[in-house]
Amino acid sequence: MDSSSRTVEIVALLVSPVHAFEGRPADGPAPEPAGTARDHVTVRAGLGLVGDRYFNQAAHRRAAVTVFDAAALDPFGAPDPHLTRRNIVLRGFRIDELAAGRDRPGALFSLDSGDGPVRLQAFRPANPCAWMDVSVGPGAFRGLRGRGGVRCGPLDDGVLRLGPATLTVHR
């Protein structure tokens, strides 16, 4: 199996036990629960991120982990990447290119931040919603179309940490 690797940086990790965006964007988000930003996350194969609201939820097995490219935020003044509410935010790779399309399956890729590789199967795009205009800034809902990240299913147990990492796309 061919593969290609590159160095990336994991700039944000988020595990959220509750959904912060309920109701209408004009009402504003719910207060951020304590402990959502992390310096590391524990990944469980087929289940997701330990402590996250989508962990072990059958309806979200193929979308338990969302990976996002921090460069997509640059046109908005590079706000705090946690505001996107994506689980893993990295810099150095256009992650949206790995999502499944009409004529192709999503890619298999791995991230290794020093504790061994964690394989993720990319499935569908993580399309932005109107809440992005509230959390990231005006125009983010439209500006992040096609750059909202990728919903993935984890294939390995492991740990991911903030900082340098190797992203390998398996072909």
Side-chain angles (χ1 to χ4, degrees):
M1 174 185 292
D2 291 356
S3 61
S4 61
S5 296
R6 74 170 42 202
T7 300
V8 298
E9 182 180 3
I10 298 175
V11 298
L13 295 167
L14 181 112
V15 173
S16 181
V18 298
H19 199 301
F21 297 144
E22 295 182 3
R24 296 180 305 226
D27 298 335
E32 188 69 34
T36 57
R38 305 279 176 94
D39 63 355
H40 72 281
V41 293
T42 302
V43 183
R44 293 287 179 246
L47 300 174
L49 302 181
V50 174
D52 194 71
R53 67 189 177 280
Y54 294 126
F55 184 80
N56 198 23
Q57 298 294 315
H60 295 282
R61 294 276 160 79
R62 294 169 54 127
V65 178
T66 305
V67 183
F68 182 80
D69 175 12
L73 295 174
D74 291 347
F76 306 100
D80 179 351
H82 294 97
L83 298 175
T84 64
R85 306 284 298 158
R86 302 314 197 225
N87 300 116
I88 301 168
V89 182
L90 55 87
R91 186 170 288 279
F93 187 81
R94 290 184 59 100
I95 197 74
D96 296 278
E97 296 172 1
L98 301 182
R102 289 184 182 181
D103 57 349
R104 68 186 188 326
L108 174 65
F109 69 101
S110 62
L111 284 168
D112 185 346
S113 60
D115 292 285
V118 175
R119 291 177 307 142
L120 299 161
Q121 175 67 56
F123 287 107
R124 61 187 174 88
N127 296 317
C129 67
W131 279 101
M132 290 295 180
D133 283 345
V134 174
S135 64
V136 173
F141 172 47
R142 287 190 177 165
L144 290 175
R145 287 185 184 161
R147 302 283 317 270
V150 178
R151 298 196 185 279
C152 305
L155 303 178
D156 297 312
D157 289 351
V159 173
L160 293 173
R161 298 178 187 284
L162 291 177
T166 301
L167 184 145
T168 303
V169 178
H170 306 277
R171 306 217 189 269

